[in-house]
Amino acid sequence: MIRLKRIYEQPSDQDGFRVLVDRLWPRGLRKNEVRLDLWLKEIAPSDELRKWFSHDPEKWEEFRKCYLEELKLKEEYAQKLIERARETDLTLLYAAKNEDFNNATVLKEYLESRLQRQ
């Protein structure tokens, strides 16, 4: 199972393997205070795409489309997450305030579609 969670939320036993999928470290958190198994910033949207989107819901559909295209070029990182999701629960962590319009939701969609095909 693949879950999404804001990194600011308390960890739980159901989280399984916890992966931060943002390019930038979350504001206000110290690295030694976060329960994290992996920071996979390489799978995050490019700086250019991230800055353009700026979490604007009106840009969501275009952001989603562009990020899905970028993910095709990040196959090795996606495959690592897919393999982990086959072994245990996987929680994709993100810092964005908006729970619906963030890169982790697109990544989850991408990974789940790949899992179904394999």
Side-chain angles (χ1 to χ4, degrees):
M1 173 173 277
I2 300 175
R3 293 182 176 86
L4 298 176
K5 185 180 257 190
R6 284 193 79 218
I7 195 162
Y8 300 101
E9 295 177 42
Q10 287 294 321
S12 74
D13 293 337
Q14 290 78 31
D15 288 347
F17 194 79
R18 294 169 50 91
V19 181
L20 176 60
V21 294
D22 287 346
R23 185 166 300 280
L24 303 176
W25 186 258
R27 289 182 181 157
L29 294 179
R30 293 184 182 159
K31 291 180 182 175
N32 63 348
E33 296 175 339
V34 177
R35 194 181 121 218
L36 185 66
D37 296 302
L38 178 64
W39 180 15
L40 193 59
K41 58 185 166 185
E42 297 87 356
I43 204 161
S46 64
D47 280 334
E48 180 181 83
L49 182 58
R50 177 183 59 80
K51 289 174 184 177
W52 171 82
F53 175 49
S54 190
H55 300 283
D56 181 349
E58 291 183 18
K59 296 179 180 177
W60 173 249
E61 286 304 321
E62 185 66 20
F63 168 78
R64 183 182 162 279
K65 178 181 157 194
C66 292
Y67 185 36
L68 286 170
E69 285 301 312
E70 284 188 2
L71 285 170
K72 291 177 185 176
L73 303 174
K74 301 176 182 201
E75 183 59 32
E76 66 183 280
Y77 302 112
Q79 193 59 40
K80 286 180 183 181
L81 294 178
I82 289 166
E83 289 170 11
R84 184 62 70 164
R86 283 193 182 113
E87 298 169 4
T88 187
D89 290 335
L90 177 67
T91 298
L92 304 178
L93 302 169
Y94 62 94
K97 291 179 185 175
N98 191 313
E99 296 180 9
D100 298 316
F101 302 115
N102 65 70
N103 62 295
T105 62
V106 179
L107 179 57
K108 180 179 187 278
E109 172 190 343
Y110 181 79
L111 295 174
E112 287 177 340
S113 72
R114 295 281 317 281
L115 275 166
Q116 290 174 359
R117 284 187 269 150
Q118 292 182 1

